[in-house]
Amino acid sequence: MIAAVKRLSFLPALLPLAGCGGWQSAMDVHGTSAISLKQLIILVVATCSVVWMLVMIALIRALTRSHASRLTPTVVDRGMARRMAIAVIVAVAATVMVITGFTVGSFFSTRALSAAGADDLTIKVSGLQWWWNVQYFGATPDQNFVTANEIHIPVGRTIRFQLEGDDVIHSFWVPSLAGKQDLIPGRPNELSVRAERAGMYRGQCAEFCGLQHAHMAFFVIAESQAEFDKWADAQRRPATQPTDAEAAAGQQIFLSKPCAACHAVRGTKATGTSAPDLTHVGSRKYIGAGLFETTRGSLAAWIADPQTLKPGNNMPLVPLSREELLSVSAYLASLK
Amino acid sequence: MRLIVLLICIVMLGGCEREERQLRLDPPIASALDEVKLMPNGISGAPPEVYFALNRPYETNAYNLDQGKRLYSWFGCSTCHADGQGGIGPSFLDGWWYYGPEMVSIFASIRDGRPHGMPAFRDKMTTDEIWQLAGYIQTLGAYSAKTAAPSRNDDKQSRPAENRAPAAILFDQGPTPVHPDQGPTP
Amino acid sequence: MRERVVADLSRLPLHGLRSASVTWWGTLAFMLIEGTGFALVIAIYFYLMSLAAIWPLNAPPPDLLPGTVVTIILVISLIPNYLVSSWAEQQDLRKVRIGMVVMSALGIAPLIPRAFEFAALNVKWDTNAYGSVVWTLLGLHTTHIITDLVDTLVLTALVFTRHGRNPRRFGDVQDNCMYWNFVVAAWLPIYGCIYWIVRL
Amino acid sequence: MTESVIGPDTRDAELERPLVDAALENTWATASGFWSALATVDHKIIGRRYILTAFAFLALGGVLAILMRLQLARPEARLIGPDRYNQIFTMHGANMMFLFAVPVMEAMAVYLVPLMVGTRNIAFPRLNAFSYWIYLAGGLLLWVSFVLDMGPDVGWFAYVPLSGPQYGAGKRADIWAQMITFTELSALAVAVEIVVTVFKQRAPGMTLDRIPLFVWSMLVTAFLVILAMPSIMVASTSLILDRLVGTHFFNPAEGGDVLLWQHLFWFFGHPEVYIIFLPAVGMVSTLIVTFARRPVFGYLALVMALIATGILSFGLWVHHMFVTGLPRLGESFFTASSMAIAIPAGVQIFCWIATLWDGKPVWKTPLLFVIGFIFTFVIGGLSGVMVASVPFDAQVHDTYFVVAHFHYVLIGGSVFPLIGGIYYWFPKITGRMMSEPVGHWVFGLIFIGFNLTFFPMHILGLQGMPRRIYTYQPDMPWHGLNLFVSASAAVLAAGFLLFFIDALRSARAGLPAGANPWDAPTLEWATSSPPPSFNFARIPVVYGAYPLWEQREALSVADGLRVDRRELVVTSLVAAEPEARESSPRNSIWPLWAAITTTVMLIWSIFSPWAVVWGSIPVAIALIGWFWPKRVPEDEA
């Protein structure tokens, strides 16, 4: 226990590493559909603000205008009542018009959401407690590959995400690129996304999915077609064999300890499927579904005590010595 | 009024330990839990002291049983044992335990493996995972359902769920024969 | 506050029947609650049916005999039920007593074929969603019959005691008859769902 | 004294007024003592109990909210772990919806509706007692299990499969589902009582267009309860069946469907919002009339708006499911209907403003809460229009924007009028006034604290903060606003604390109120404060919607009822013409026994399906005891 605490002591140093803000925001938009959604949001919010102000002006006026005293409350001025009736009818008619405008506007933006093209890139995303499994499809089945919690997409191309819930309901949401869509067991969904600008966009599960709903983030990295192709080629290849002695020792430990029973590292005997594929884990920006930036230190911290960092997740605490921990983290960090 | 409170309390006090979720097991306790004492023939024995100190969490705690069920599918138990009714490996539901229904025996079977094809999971699972899985398997084969037992899966159904004591429903006159030289015979 | 007496209520009857009775409206409100419940389970039935490629799911259609016998008994029971209600309207205690005994018997009668109905469904509740929903429909309606039967039995006992002479009892008998009509009326769409939709 | 004069069939017309009061007190009163308290069927005692219990649950739910705000005040806080946090937010939602908001509105109705329609007790008073006990049992079930670390942790909406047999380990989800059964039973019982009370027990002359607007709103609410609550009962029952006996309603592999749960839940869940909101609307209409000193403008329009809201509320449930991938055309229909509900809401707002315009506002605390209500509810309503749009919802669904939206609707739209209503009716219920200066402070703290707490959540939602997360990472740009929100929540909590203190203090030491301290126009103010056990010594007769303003010199009443037994007037549905002198049941301990046996059956059935069979036997015995006639005058013809 004390050893575990000691191992954790370098954690605070990791926290400020990821600096850039506003990368998961419906107001900071870089995807085709998110851009039009933002326009809609601004239009609707502005209209509603005007409506609210008008109501408040009427209310304040009603309260502050000079009132005749009302000794006999039941006596009502008929002329006043008629004028008020006209005012109320006009106000209701205005409400109906605003509402109709919103409904029509909403209908057309809804239709725009579901447009799909022919050369769309299809990516299958499965939501699991509490990480994302991402499958890319190549021209042939051997070109397919799997990764986790990080999705690379080419800029300017429509991506069709096939969304499948494998355990409970999750929701796929990258606010800077598009609205959300649920992943529901037994009901596959689709979501079309197009990034207009290169960048790294954070997404997060938006449907309550159990203990670690809060730590179920992922990243979408939009890059040029050339960079994307380069990345995809690298991802297709099996894992690199360790070159230095420490990483080689780490590989041995990884394969002989419980790690390999759940995780897969293509090109080795590790073929587990119940946990994220680690073939190129070193190349990913984050580990633990957006928990920490990938460094050797964060990998070591994560392996040393996953249940303190992300309580309730499915990674067990595997007892490792200090040396074992160092070499395993060296090995994983080397899996670029 | 006071009667209602009392009644609810009685019903629930029995239940509260079943619901606690121990998400992290301290490594020293985990290694202590590994120290089971087995009889020379590998059947029966005594769990470590700490197991009782913890109040036998792997038999009665709903969260552990549920985790055990998850591990059953993640570690491919169904390849040989199917849904518990057996196949290549023995059935858990036929009313016959080759090595007895005690937790330590099941724990030892998983950790160390058994003759005729049961592999050892010592290097594939952590100690608490093995205990969780053992607790689940004991529940699966129990003749009377535990209150804390997990329920059916969101899958195709091939047998009644664990909380309905499938072993009692599917009890056979004899063991589903897998290896005639193994374990006791009727 | 000072008061001015403007009306004299002393000539009003002590107890109103039908729409002048509070219990009549209460019974109606409970029927509305239960009717909504039945409608919802039937909606679930159609919802699941609309999702399924074949219906019934992996099971032969239910056997018609026990369910049809229940239906016939229930429909026939409407006649004595109507008579009991009109005898209660006439406040004829002797006939109401006989009628209530008959209605008790007719409450028990459908439960006998009902016991065979569950087996005749040819599917278990835990086989698939189709089995779950038909068992639920049948189980709900069986509960419905049993609750009204208990009500009828208690009321039958009551009309044979000195409380039977109370005009209030005739209102209770009428409400009970109305409720039995509802039990029968609720069964007919359920019968259609369980036995005939699957044969269409 | 009374025994000498009062024989069988003594009529109130034969007696002098003090003797009438004494005789009626003898007939209607609840004796002091523990068993009498358990056996009482007086709607005022039960209503008071109901209100107190509901506010106790409000305070407990508020503590949970503060715990959540403490945890969320800074990123990656370790104050509460995910397991406990999930229980806490589930409890907060379930507690506020099922144990506070719905029951407190029904509680107010249980207390006020019989007084407002001028009758002596609610219809089915024993059912009323039963409904309170079963509500209490449901609340205890939920809270005791929470204390024992087995509180539900699947959200107040309990979506399958997370709450289903495979992923909801243990009994936590079953406790949620059975708590639903308890609270729905009690809500349905009260709904039936209110419908029948309003239909059949109105004072002679109270035709449909003279019914107080609060009573109208409770009538519509009662119908919503009757038509919506069975849906959640069906849903929670099928969930328990799935979990306990292995049915497959929600198992896609065997022909079930995950979304079926959401349809059933929201078919109830959306009307639920209006079940909470409509009574508040009725309170606002009542308060505005009294404090603007003018009959409400557009009575018919307001009644029609209530009914329209009630009907439309059943056509909106899918707007909670816009991101589940349902067909787009269907979603557009639900957008249209969700938007349309803004129209009756608008009608109501405009009519209230018109009433204030032509009235003469009296600046008392209840009016402040009404103004606060209009201010906040219009924001909540407009953000409701926003989330009704499918594309808008695609961004803000399940974010803090929605958290902000529904707190504006539920606190701004319901709790504000409720607290205004408490300030208004407190003198009627206790006979004492609440403090006016403290009331201004309470309003200020709650109003400012509320807006500072929940308005920033709109922004957090647009900045991408999802709901139901127990923490967030330091690199997200949310921590500043979250800290601000948590600090503001303390202001809001202080406001509520001050309100509770003021209420407790005023109940003992407030200024005596008198029968009608606000010069209010409706019948509940025609009797003393607090009202006697029989409510009205002689049944009022009304000729308009505002009887106390219209009959200033003397109130018209009817006599001819017996004083030696509990008697009240049954009137016709539309014209409210007297039809019968019906008896009202006496106190009875059987409703309590029925509630206890039902509780045993329901809790047992979490563990074994056979509980339904064996547990129903004592329930049946208790019910027979309940209904079996006794040798009392009330059971005479």
Side-chain angles (χ1 to χ4, degrees):
Chain A
M1 184 61 213
I2 293 162
V5 172
K6 270 189 189 156
R7 280 182 223 138
L8 289 173
S9 58
F10 57 88
L11 269 181
L14 297 169
L15 299 179
L17 287 177
C20 50
W23 54 359
Q24 175 178 314
S25 169
M27 295 289 101
D28 178 17
V29 288
H30 303 277
T32 313
S33 101
I35 289 169
S36 68
L37 289 180
K38 186 184 173 185
Q39 287 161 353
L40 178 86
I41 289 173
I42 289 172
L43 177 76
V44 171
V45 171
T47 317
C48 287
S49 307
V50 172
V51 171
W52 182 78
M53 297 233 267
L54 291 175
V55 175
M56 283 311 112
I57 290 169
L59 175 66
I60 292 166
R61 184 88 184 84
L63 289 166
T64 53
R65 66 188 280 272
S66 62
H67 296 274
S69 72
R70 298 190 58 89
L71 291 174
T72 40
T74 43
V75 178
V76 171
D77 177 355
R78 288 189 176 277
M80 173 64 99
R82 200 171 56 241
R83 286 196 298 280
M84 290 198 311
I86 292 166
V88 167
I89 288 167
V90 169
V92 172
T95 313
V96 173
M97 274 160 60
V98 171
I99 295 299
T100 312
F102 281 174
T103 309
V104 172
S106 163
F107 178 68
F108 283 107
S109 357
T110 310
R111 273 213 318 200
L113 282 183
S114 44
D119 81 323
D120 300 348
L121 176 68
T122 302
I123 303 173
K124 187 170 152 192
V125 178
S126 316
L128 292 129
Q129 284 178 326
W130 292 274
W131 58 284
W132 305 84
N133 194 37
V134 185
Q135 272 178 280
Y136 283 78
F137 300 104
T140 53
D142 62 310
Q143 300 264 288
N144 296 355
F145 65 89
V146 177
T147 179
N149 302 332
E150 188 172 296
I151 305 168
H152 286 244
I153 59 169
V155 170
R157 208 168 139 196
T158 306
I159 317 295
R160 217 166 56 221
F161 285 108
Q162 294 180 339
L163 305 173
E164 287 190 9
D166 277 5
D167 40 37
V168 302
I169 301 177
H170 304 277
S171 194
F172 180 88
W173 187 38
V174 195
S176 300
L177 295 179
K180 60 182 71 64
Q181 186 72 264
D182 286 354
L183 297 88
I184 299 175
R187 283 184 171 256
N189 272 334
E190 282 203 353
L191 180 71
S192 292
V193 169
R194 203 166 83 136
E196 299 275 328
R197 276 182 284 281
M200 183 157 140
Y201 307 110
R202 193 176 190 269
Q204 192 166 354
C205 175
E207 180 61 84
F208 178 60
C209 57
L211 283 171
Q212 279 300 337
H213 170 55
H215 290 125
M216 190 172 162
F218 60 100
F219 289 87
V220 175
I221 294 167
E223 55 205 2
S224 68
Q225 184 72 42
E227 283 172 323
F228 172 76
D229 290 338
K230 201 171 131 224
W231 173 84
D233 275 342
Q235 292 289 316
R236 271 185 205 108
R237 281 195 290 275
T240 46
Q241 286 303 314
T243 45
D244 61 289
E246 191 181 26
Q251 187 187 37
Q252 279 316 306
I253 294 158
F254 184 87
L255 294 175
S256 61
K257 290 280 180 179
C259 319
C262 296
H263 292 284
V265 175
R266 273 175 284 137
T268 71
K269 284 186 291 176
T271 53
T273 52
S274 54
D277 184 299
L278 298 181
T279 310
H280 298 287
V281 66
S283 75
R284 293 181 207 148
K285 300 279 187 297
Y286 280 79
I287 58 162
L291 197 64
F292 296 120
E293 274 198 64
T294 314
T295 63
R296 209 180 132 183
S298 65
L299 281 163
W302 171 245
I303 298 164
D305 197 349
Q307 293 300 329
T308 298
L309 300 177
K310 191 172 170 181
N313 86 85
N314 292 308
M315 169 122 163
L317 195 169
V318 177
L320 294 176
S321 70
R322 202 183 114 80
E323 289 69 31
E324 289 173 326
L325 193 61
L326 286 173
S327 47
V328 168
S329 56
Y331 170 62
L332 290 176
S334 77
L335 294 175
K336 294 285 183 189
Chain B
M1 206 19 257
R2 270 174 287 184
L3 204 70
I4 304 177
V5 178
L6 198 73
L7 232 120
I8 293 174
C9 289
I10 290 168
V11 172
M12 289 203 163
L13 275 174
C16 60
E17 275 177 358
R18 284 201 282 270
E19 294 291 333
E20 192 194 351
R21 294 189 182 184
Q22 184 71 48
L23 302 179
R24 181 182 180 280
L25 196 65
D26 267 340
I29 298 178
S31 60
L33 275 172
D34 205 30
E35 308 294 323
V36 295
K37 292 191 230 21
L38 282 173
M39 302 289 279
N41 61 358
I43 301 173
S44 186
E49 293 287 321
V50 61
Y51 185 68
F52 297 104
L54 292 170
N55 216 353
R56 308 194 305 155
Y58 299 103
E59 288 167 79
T60 53
N61 181 282
Y63 179 70
N64 284 326
L65 293 177
D66 221 60
Q67 291 295 102
K69 178 168 183 155
R70 189 176 283 212
L71 297 169
Y72 186 89
S73 75
W74 281 356
F75 285 90
C77 307
S78 47
T79 322
C80 300
H81 299 283
D83 58 2
Q85 300 188 70
I88 304 167
S91 162
F92 303 129
L93 306 180
D94 60 4
W96 294 92
W97 295 91
Y98 290 125
Y99 303 101
E102 284 171 48
M103 280 292 279
V104 278
S105 306
I106 305 171
F107 177 86
S109 300
I110 300 168
R111 187 185 63 178
D112 307 332
R114 295 286 184 186
H116 304 295
M118 173 71 192
F121 281 82
R122 185 186 285 107
D123 295 333
K124 295 192 170 122
M125 303 169 78
T126 58
T127 302
D128 48 329
E129 283 183 325
I130 298 176
W131 276 108
Q132 286 175 332
L133 181 56
Y136 169 68
I137 287 172
Q138 193 200 42
T139 307
L140 185 57
Y143 306 137
S144 62
K146 290 179 190 172
T147 321
S151 186
R152 68 154 175 78
N153 271 349
D154 287 329
D155 294 328
K156 280 279 182 194
Q157 295 305 289
S158 47
R159 58 161 171 79
E162 292 80 329
N163 62 344
R164 297 171 59 209
I169 298 173
L170 300 173
F171 184 84
D172 283 337
Q173 285 307 305
T176 314
V178 177
H179 290 285
D181 57 332
Q182 195 172 31
T185 44
Chain C
M1 191 159 189
R2 290 197 300 125
E3 291 176 344
R4 184 176 62 228
V5 177
V6 295
D8 175 20
L9 305 172
S10 55
R11 288 176 191 283
L12 289 178
L14 288 182
H15 182 63
L17 286 180
R18 295 206 175 262
S19 75
S21 147
V22 173
T23 39
W24 189 82
W25 286 95
T27 313
L28 217 58
F30 276 104
M31 277 160 47
L32 187 58
I33 293 171
E34 286 155 25
T36 312
F38 279 122
L40 281 162
V41 182
I42 290 174
I44 293 176
Y45 180 93
F46 283 110
Y47 179 87
L48 293 174
M49 188 171 103
S50 74
L51 292 179
I54 46 154
W55 195 261
L57 282 169
N58 304 327
D63 305 335
L64 279 174
L65 183 65
T68 309
V69 172
V70 169
T71 313
I72 291 168
I73 297 175
L74 287 177
V75 171
I76 288 174
S77 73
L78 288 178
I79 300 164
N81 192 48
Y82 172 79
L83 290 175
V84 175
S85 181
S86 54
W87 292 333
E89 184 88 44
Q90 299 153 14
Q91 311 222 342
D92 185 336
L93 183 60
R94 200 182 57 84
K95 283 183 179 164
V96 166
R97 281 180 172 165
I98 297 166
M100 286 306 286
V101 173
V102 173
M103 284 316 295
S104 301
L106 281 171
I108 296 166
L111 289 176
I112 298 161
R114 176 54 58 86
F116 295 95
E117 250 189 293
F118 286 97
L121 290 175
N122 292 328
V123 68
K124 284 281 192 66
W125 71 92
D126 60 351
T127 309
N128 53 39
Y130 160 74
S132 308
V133 73
V134 289
W135 271 74
T136 306
L137 276 171
L138 205 57
L140 268 183
H141 193 262
T142 309
T143 318
H144 211 202
I145 295 185
I146 291 172
T147 42
D148 194 35
L149 175 64
V150 173
D151 193 22
T152 309
L153 289 173
V154 173
L155 203 54
T156 309
L158 210 49
V159 292
F160 280 97
T161 65
R162 61 188 173 80
H163 299 293
R165 303 225 167 265
N166 191 327
R168 200 172 283 275
R169 284 298 87 67
F170 296 111
D172 293 346
V173 170
Q174 278 183 318
D175 291 347
N176 189 53
C177 292
M178 176 168 80
Y179 194 80
W180 183 255
N181 286 336
F182 173 59
V183 170
V184 177
W187 170 245
L188 297 177
I190 296 173
Y191 174 67
C193 267
I194 296 180
Y195 294 96
W196 293 100
I197 293 287
V198 289
R199 291 168 199 271
L200 286 180
Chain D
M1 167 199 80
T2 48
E3 284 75 15
S4 54
V5 191
I6 312 299
D9 202 20
T10 307
R11 302 299 170 90
D12 50 6
E14 304 161 15
L15 303 172
E16 290 298 314
R17 177 61 197 271
L19 266 182
V20 175
D21 284 15
L24 285 171
E25 183 66 22
N26 193 36
T27 307
W28 286 85
T30 298
S32 57
F34 184 64
W35 284 103
S36 307
L38 295 182
T40 186
V41 297
D42 184 338
H43 76 100
K44 295 177 293 300
I45 297 176
I46 292 168
R48 219 161 53 206
R49 249 176 225 172
Y50 238 125
I51 294 170
L52 282 174
T53 315
F55 271 98
F57 284 129
L58 171 73
L60 286 171
V63 170
L64 295 181
I66 292 296
L67 285 175
M68 285 192 281
R69 280 324 314 175
L70 281 174
Q71 163 73 9
L72 291 175
R74 54 199 181 88
E76 290 288 3
R78 298 210 164 246
L79 184 69
I80 303 169
D83 185 36
R84 208 54 170 165
Y85 187 90
N86 290 348
Q87 290 183 50
I88 288 177
F89 87 73
T90 303
M91 287 289 295
H92 175 74
N95 173 75
M96 290 306 201
M97 295 301 265
F98 295 112
L99 299 180
F100 167 65
V102 175
V104 82
M105 294 302 177
E106 299 201 314
M108 295 297 279
V110 161
Y111 194 98
L112 291 170
V113 164
L115 287 163
M116 290 178 109
V117 301
T119 187
R120 282 176 172 166
N121 203 349
I122 200 163
F124 314 120
R126 290 183 181 175
L127 187 63
N128 197 25
F130 173 79
S131 90
Y132 173 75
W133 296 124
I134 211 80
Y135 157 65
L136 184 65
L140 287 175
L141 167 69
L142 191 66
W143 277 94
V144 170
S145 53
F146 174 69
V147 171
L148 294 177
D149 199 15
M150 56 192 296
D153 59 351
V154 289
W156 85 281
F157 45 90
Y159 276 7
V160 291
L162 189 62
S163 66
Q166 187 174 357
Y167 296 98
K171 295 290 173 196
R172 293 175 172 192
D174 301 285
I175 285 166
W176 176 87
Q178 213 57 301
M179 178 278 298
I180 296 289
T181 312
F182 279 95
T183 54
E184 307 306 83
L185 263 183
S186 82
L188 284 166
V190 174
V192 170
E193 295 154 20
I194 288 171
V195 167
V196 178
T197 308
V198 178
F199 274 8
K200 296 308 293 176
Q201 297 192 10
R202 302 199 304 277
M206 190 180 277
T207 52
L208 291 183
D209 57 344
R210 294 172 186 165
I211 298 178
L213 278 169
F214 176 70
V215 175
W216 259 117
S217 74
M218 281 316 304
L219 181 66
V220 177
T221 304
F223 272 105
L224 289 190
V225 169
I226 287 175
L227 295 172
M229 297 259 175
S231 180
I232 187 76
M233 297 263 278
V234 167
S236 65
T237 307
S238 31
L239 179 63
I240 287 204
L241 288 174
D242 263 24
R243 294 174 56 88
L244 191 63
V245 298
T247 57
H248 296 284
F249 288 103
F250 308 117
N251 176 5
E254 289 286 7
D257 183 42
V258 170
L259 283 190
L260 171 61
W261 171 266
Q262 299 189 20
H263 282 296
L264 287 172
F265 184 82
W266 291 116
F267 185 76
F268 143 82
H270 205 86
E272 165 92 344
V273 175
Y274 293 92
I275 288 169
I276 295 165
F277 173 62
L278 288 184
V281 165
M283 291 180 188
V284 170
S285 296
T286 312
L287 266 52
I288 278 199
V289 167
T290 301
F291 293 97
R293 303 198 52 72
R294 183 199 189 281
V296 77
F297 174 81
Y299 178 94
L300 182 64
L302 286 171
V303 173
M304 287 301 153
L306 284 173
I307 296 171
T309 309
I311 293 169
L312 280 172
S313 72
F314 284 98
L316 327 169
W317 81 92
V318 171
H319 81 210
H320 297 266
M321 300 164 65
F322 277 160
V323 296
T324 56
L326 292 174
R328 291 286 180 210
L329 187 67
E331 289 188 344
S332 295
F333 166 79
F334 283 96
T335 294
S337 62
S338 308
M339 297 261 182
I341 207 153
I343 296 168
V347 169
Q348 292 172 341
I349 297 276
F350 301 138
C351 285
W352 290 324
I353 291 179
T355 310
L356 286 170
W357 188 285
D358 191 36
K360 169 100 180 117
V362 182
W363 292 93
K364 300 279 183 176
T365 307
L367 184 68
L368 295 183
F369 275 99
V370 167
I371 294 163
F373 156 80
I374 296 179
F375 181 96
T376 49
F377 173 67
V378 175
I379 296 178
L382 288 169
S383 60
V385 167
M386 296 177 195
V387 293
S389 153
V390 176
F392 197 110
D393 190 60
Q395 281 290 25
V396 299
H397 183 81
D398 273 333
T399 69
Y400 264 77
F401 188 92
V402 175
V403 178
H405 157 66
F406 71 73
H407 281 96
Y408 265 84
V409 174
L410 291 174
I411 298 186
S414 275
V415 178
F416 279 18
L418 174 70
I419 296 183
I422 293 286
Y423 271 90
Y424 179 64
W425 280 297
F426 192 86
K428 178 51 60 187
I429 296 173
T430 63
R432 292 178 186 277
M433 306 294 289
M434 282 177 83
S435 159
E436 198 57 34
V438 178
H440 286 66
W441 273 100
V442 168
F443 172 73
L445 285 171
I446 290 184
F447 180 77
I448 292 167
F450 168 79
N451 281 291
L452 293 184
T453 304
F454 290 101
F455 196 83
M457 288 187 187
H458 290 111
I459 300 162
L460 279 173
L462 289 172
Q463 283 183 344
M465 182 167 166
R467 296 168 73 175
R468 298 158 189 153
I469 50 173
Y470 80 99
T471 191
Y472 49 92
Q473 274 141 308
D475 49 340
M476 306 311 292
W478 306 326
H479 45 266
L481 273 182
N482 268 303
L483 183 61
F484 179 77
V485 163
S486 294
S488 311
V491 179
L492 181 57
F496 274 101
L497 191 64
L498 190 60
F499 167 71
F500 284 124
I501 293 170
D502 187 27
L504 291 176
R505 191 201 58 84
S506 304
R508 290 155 198 261
L511 294 172
N516 189 1
W518 313 109
D519 187 25
T522 39
L523 282 180
E524 76 269 30
W525 303 101
T527 184
S528 61
S529 307
S533 57
F534 45 89
N535 290 358
F536 300 96
R538 295 193 169 98
I539 302 294
V541 177
V542 300
Y543 302 99
Y546 306 96
L548 302 199
W549 282 351
E550 289 149 357
Q551 309 174 33
R552 286 216 175 260
E553 296 78 45
L555 185 71
S556 304
V557 294
D559 65 8
L561 298 189
R562 275 169 65 173
V563 294
D564 64 312
R565 68 167 204 160
R566 298 187 172 190
E567 212 164 67
L568 43 77
V569 186
V570 168
T571 54
S572 62
L573 176 61
V574 178
E577 282 168 5
E579 288 181 331
R581 293 187 285 132
E582 184 60 85
S583 67
S584 180
R586 292 198 162 210
N587 295 352
S588 164
I589 196 70
W590 285 107
L592 177 61
W593 286 120
I596 291 174
T597 50
T598 311
T599 301
V600 170
M601 178 180 82
L602 288 178
I603 294 180
W604 185 6
S605 71
I606 295 177
F607 300 92
S608 162
W610 291 105
V612 180
V613 177
W614 303 119
S616 64
I617 294 169
V619 177
I621 293 169
L623 289 177
I624 292 169
W626 174 338
F627 287 107
W628 197 267
K630 319 284 184 305
R631 290 170 185 274
V632 291
E634 280 76 12
D635 285 327
E636 293 166 16

